[in-house]
Amino acid sequence: MLEGLMIGLSTAFSVTNILMVIGGCLIGTFIGMLPGLGPMSIIAIMIPVAITLGDPSAALILLAGVYYGAIFGGSTSSILLNAPGVAGTVASSFDGYPMARAGMAGKALTIAAISSFMGGTVGAILLMVFAPMLSTVALLFHSAEYFALMVVGLSAIAAFAGTGNVAKALMMTLLGLMMATVGEGALFNMPRFTMGLMDLQSGLSFITLAMAMFALPEAIFLVMNPGRSAQGGENGGKITGLRITGQEARKIAPVIGRQSIQGFFIGVLPGAGATIASFLGYAVERNIATEEEQKEFGKGSIKGLAAPETANNAACTGSFVPLLTLGIPGSGTTAILLGALIALNVTPGPRLMIDSPHIFWAVIISMYIGNLVLLVLNLPLIPYIAKVLSIPRNYLIPFILFFTLMGSYIGQNNATELLILVGFGICATVLRFADYPLAPLLIGFILGRMLEDNFARSMQLYDGISFILDRPMTLGLLVLAALLVIVPSYRARRARARAAGVADGD
């Protein structure tokens, strides 16, 4: 390991590779800021550029820089415009956007930048130490375990349900699961619930749904309610409070520590990735928070912003474990990276560390350099990025609508997506008026297809649902999912009972 590390250091610190890291981070950050243009699109576009470099190390370092740069930058549109273009940054908007509306956009971006840096850095260190060992752990996960993992992800709905809204959150989750069944299933090549529309054969687009659930209703609310400001609250668009206090730093430090580790290990599992890590990170931190702190979640909690930002960047780094050590892509983005590796005549797998240590270790070390580059690039730019909120409402609303429509259209290159976007956006606005939480719907949609596919495969392999009892790890994950739903409900009931006791005593 030490010898491989020294080879990686000499490769990663060459002038060419340093420039590749900086270039990849810059491209990824700016692409991540644009709703609808996620890392998958830009990596696919840049593969021909990477191949022309000739050096596999430099090519992979460039593409990896674009990947985690996009995750790093994806939080910006979520925080400032409530328009998450990347699935891994959806949870960042739950508390990041309320902070921006309350005049703390600069602070929100600072917390996101620091949390992302720490999550990515800790992930890179853990990747360096545990990669060979974790490759064997990842092999223990089969369809049954992935099904249970998706159920654990769905159990996060308890964290997004406000007081007394658990039933509404459950209904929205079920609606999201139903929407995930539109289009062709993995096991049966027959279109389902498409109403005869060819455009729905491949299913509903995540980008379209995310924009319809968050960005479009926000623009409609700004039009309908002139008193509602997305421009800094009382400060009238003046960006203040870019620094975090020592007390706030101490408050988020344990969150960053926990979610760096949790996010990394979730990222190691093929098929899990940054999205599940961010949702689970948010859910876990809300569930273990004090009763007072729980009330802040969803209204501008710094813990609620730090948790998903740390977890998604740590998971992004962790996803390179199955890619490099097993040749298994853990997400759509790493699947494109796998294609790039093969195009560069590099075969990922257990022998990569032995046959091409300069590639394996250089990529890992470049991740640490990349996170440092991202922090140095982003922190000085925060005052300028945050000035998006100082744009007058007359211009801000068309700006949000333009990026929403553009992101939706580019995602599928299909005009029908615009009609779907408007239809779902109006429905989402009505649901917000009725106080239905929209996050559970998106969680159900994102995890629904993976849940269905893995459950169907498990049923085929084990001839029924006996796999739940036959595989201890599956049973353990399902028990964990049940606890994640039951414990918050029990705590809420106990709090109500205590409040009722105090009232009787009065």
Side-chain angles (χ1 to χ4, degrees), residues 197-264:
L197 296 172
M198 286 293 292
D199 295 325
L200 289 179
Q201 197 148 341
S202 58
L204 296 168
S205 164
F206 157 75
I207 295 294
T208 301
L209 196 62
M211 295 298 177
M213 292 297 109
F214 295 98
L216 202 58
E218 190 56 41
I220 293 171
F221 267 61
L222 285 171
V223 172
M224 294 173 65
N225 184 3
R228 179 187 176 87
S229 173
Q231 300 158 306
E234 296 174 2
N235 296 321
K238 188 179 178 183
I239 308 304
T240 57
L242 299 178
R243 295 182 180 179
I244 59 172
T245 64
Q247 184 182 0
E248 288 168 335
R250 287 191 294 273
K251 200 173 179 181
I252 62 173
V255 175
I256 290 172
R258 284 190 295 267
Q259 293 312 316
S260 295
I261 296 169
Q262 178 181 297
F264 174 77

Side-chain angles (χ1 to χ4, degrees), residues 465-488:
I465 61 169
S466 60
F467 67 87
I468 293 174
L469 297 175
D470 291 346
R471 300 188 68 83
M473 199 181 298
T474 302
L475 184 62
L477 286 169
L478 290 174
V479 169
L480 174 63
L483 289 173
L484 284 172
V485 174
I486 292 167
V487 170

Side-chain angles (χ1 to χ4, degrees), residues 123-176:
I125 294 168
L126 292 174
L127 179 60
M128 183 175 64
V129 175
F130 292 111
M133 187 194 313
L134 290 172
S135 62
T136 57
V137 174
L139 286 173
L140 297 175
F141 271 68
H142 298 145
S143 296
E145 283 73 30
Y146 285 122
F147 159 71
L149 191 65
M150 298 306 120
V151 175
V152 172
L154 287 172
S155 68
I157 63 159
F160 304 107
T163 307
N165 278 350
V166 176
K168 286 183 177 180
L170 185 60
M171 287 169 62
M172 296 300 284
T173 306
L174 292 173
L175 182 58

